[in-house]
Amino acid sequence: MVKKVLLINGPNLNLLGTREPEKYGTTSLKDIEQAAIDQANSKKNGSEVEVFQSNTEGFIIDRIHQAKLGGVGFVVINAGAYTHTSVGIRDALLGTAIPFIEVHITNVHQREPFRHHSYLSDKAIAVIAGLGAYGYTSAIEYALNY
């Protein structure tokens, strides 16, 4: 069976590599996405990773809805700031019933108090925070073997 994973990145993650490198590192989103695609391809079992990034909440919700129709079996999502504000993204994930992992590059619990709450984590299979770009590698590996 082909395992299709959707990697979603939310607002401002398109700036990775140049945005506050002391917090987020110097790896670009393009590099993270390509590494995830390569990781799936290395399985040699037909697995694939699709990637999507948007700064717009509604586009992220629409892409989650499309994922269900497109046979996506697992979502890895870094919703960025929408993690702390979007009931809509939560409802889209729950409405499609696709299992998901929440990823954050930084340890959000070491940051501002408003970042400590997530609308996603209580429904996520797992939450990975603070491992930098490696968090994506871990999440994709889990998703491909789920």
Side-chain angles (χ1 to χ4, degrees), residues 57-133:
E57 182 179 23
F59 293 164
I60 294 169
I61 292 168
D62 288 343
R63 185 61 187 95
I64 293 167
H65 293 175
Q66 292 168 1
K68 182 71 170 186
L69 300 173
V72 168
F74 207 99
V75 171
V76 173
I77 184 167
N78 182 343
Y82 290 138
T83 301
H84 320 291
T85 63
S86 181
V87 174
I89 291 174
R90 174 192 173 94
D91 287 350
L93 288 163
L94 295 178
T96 60
I98 300 171
F100 69 96
I101 292 178
E102 176 184 345
V103 174
H104 300 285
I105 293 170
T106 64
N107 182 346
V108 293
H109 301 288
Q110 292 179 333
R111 298 186 60 194
E112 305 91 341
F114 70 86
R115 295 186 195 275
H116 298 180
H117 178 265
S118 165
Y119 280 99
L120 309 179
S121 61
D122 67 317
K123 298 300 181 183
I125 297 290
V127 178
I128 300 172
L131 297 180

